[in-house]
Amino acid sequence: MTTDLNLVSVFLAVADAGSFRAAAERMGVTRPAVSQSIRRLEDRLGVALVQRTTRSVSLTEAGAQLYRRVAPAIAEVGTALDAARDREAKPTGLLRLAVSSIAERFISGPLLAGFCEAHPGVQLDVTVTDEEFDIVAEGYDAGVRLGEVIEQDMIAVPVSGDQRQLVVAAPSYLERFGAPSHPTELPRHSCIGWRPAPEVAPYRWEFEEDGREFDVAVNPRITTNDMWLMIRTACAGGGLTFGMEETFRPYLDRGELVPVLEEYCPPFPGFFLYFADRRNLPPKLRALIDHVRYRGA
């Protein structure tokens, strides 16, 4: 049996409004038209859905059951239609992003520049931060971080391939002090460490041996929250430092830095664009997600 969904919409309006008159005003039709639609639906179903009095309308048991089952489904249809409409809408407005400082590929320029060129109606506000916080509560549309630290209730889209952290040093440092043969030797070397904030302990360098993960507190001679200071100091022979291979790559290619302990530094899943699990994403965020997917990880 096929039922006219327009009749169902009238029924839902009557149930929500509690009267034929209020439903008619809400829908912009006459009261007799509403009454006729309800009667047609009842005839089609063969059951009374509403109880009419001179002052009000209430649902019968069958009407209440129908309302409980149909109302969520109609709302879902409306959401789907809105989503389809928004996909065709031109992306506009401010898009706020919180990006990890080591997400080199994302913040290096080309990806964001290409997005801005493709979507001139969107303004990007990018905060580079290593603080951990709720992006939704802080008013951000999305964030970019390593996949292993993203909350499980978020949706994540890759923005890079697998990553690897390396221990590196300048050739001049290795000539003077030699290279460690095992990560446990690192505390005996001059190390340049990283921390996200002054009150936080320096990051422990992470390694893997025979499938077992472990970390080392290197007792850094120099500690900073600035990756570029770490790199410049290492290039000057100031010690060993630890970070993303992608960040070090230009210096490795030029021979300014040399990797050590590579056998203890396996790859792991990289960076992801993440955002709240919402059924109807705004066009500006959908555009960024599509752009990231098109560019490839």
Side-chain angles (χ1 to χ4, degrees):
M1 178 181 64
T2 302
T3 301
D4 188 347
L5 290 180
N6 289 327
L7 301 181
V8 176
S9 297
V10 174
F11 165 72
L12 295 176
V14 170
D16 289 334
S19 76
F20 285 3
R21 184 181 302 278
E25 291 175 353
R26 181 179 301 178
M27 301 181 71
V29 298
T30 65
R31 183 182 180 282
V34 170
S35 179
Q36 183 180 17
S37 294
I38 294 297
R39 186 173 296 109
R40 288 173 57 195
L41 181 60
E42 290 178 326
D43 290 344
R44 186 73 59 85
L45 298 177
V47 64
L49 300 175
V50 299
Q51 294 175 332
R52 305 164 178 81
T53 68
T54 56
R55 293 186 177 182
S56 65
V57 172
S58 61
L59 298 181
T60 64
E61 183 179 353
Q65 183 180 19
L66 178 64
Y67 180 83
R68 286 194 300 269
R69 299 186 65 179
V70 170
I74 294 297
E76 182 71 19
V77 171
T79 298
L81 293 174
D82 288 343
R85 179 199 63 212
D86 286 344
R87 285 192 68 90
E88 298 303 319
K90 188 175 182 180
T92 60
L94 181 65
L95 186 62
R96 299 188 67 217
L97 307 174
V99 182
S100 171
S101 66
I102 56 174
E104 176 67 21
R105 182 175 181 190
F106 192 86
I107 62 176
S108 62
L111 189 149
L112 293 181
F115 174 77
C116 290
E117 182 178 356
H119 303 285
V122 179
Q123 296 83 47
L124 286 177
D125 184 337
V126 181
T127 297
V128 179
T129 176
D130 294 303
E131 294 184 26
E132 296 186 13
F133 55 84
D134 185 339
I135 59 170
V136 176
E138 296 298 326
Y140 289 91
D141 296 286
V144 177
R145 299 178 69 184
L146 286 172
E148 62 188 25
V149 296
I150 295 175
E151 295 82 356
Q152 293 297 314
D153 61 348
M154 292 286 172
I155 304 299
V157 177
V159 297
S160 79
D162 286 351
Q163 298 289 301
R164 186 166 69 138
Q165 296 195 97
L166 290 179
V167 180
V168 298
S172 60
Y173 176 87
L174 298 177
E175 289 172 4
R176 293 173 61 196
F177 302 103
S181 60
H182 192 274
T184 54
E185 298 176 10
L186 287 168
R188 299 197 293 270
H189 281 264
S190 292
C191 293
I192 306 161
W194 177 85
R195 52 155 175 74
E199 68 278 5
V200 179
Y203 177 72
R204 297 172 68 95
W205 296 9
E206 298 176 306
F207 302 96
E208 183 176 313
E209 183 178 21
D210 298 328
R212 180 182 64 88
E213 297 179 353
F214 65 100
D215 57 56
V216 176
V218 298
N219 302 318
R221 293 281 302 278
I222 300 173
T223 306
T224 179
N225 67 335
D226 184 357
M227 175 59 66
W228 308 115
L229 176 59
M230 294 167 61
I231 291 175
R232 290 192 296 270
T233 306
C235 287
L240 298 155
T241 196
F242 188 69
M244 306 302 293
E245 180 179 14
E246 190 173 63
T247 303
F248 294 144
R249 178 48 53 195
Y251 305 90
L252 296 170
D253 291 343
R254 293 194 297 265
E256 296 177 59
L257 294 174
V258 176
V260 299
L261 302 174
E262 287 190 84
E263 63 269 34
Y264 302 100
C265 301
F268 53 86
F271 293 95
F272 291 77
L273 174 71
Y274 69 100
F275 47 92
D277 183 3
R278 287 181 282 178
R279 294 186 178 185
N280 193 10
L281 293 174
K284 58 185 179 181
L285 180 54
R286 171 58 61 187
L288 179 62
I289 296 168
D290 291 344
H291 181 76
V292 166
R293 285 173 169 159
Y294 175 76
R295 290 289 297 262

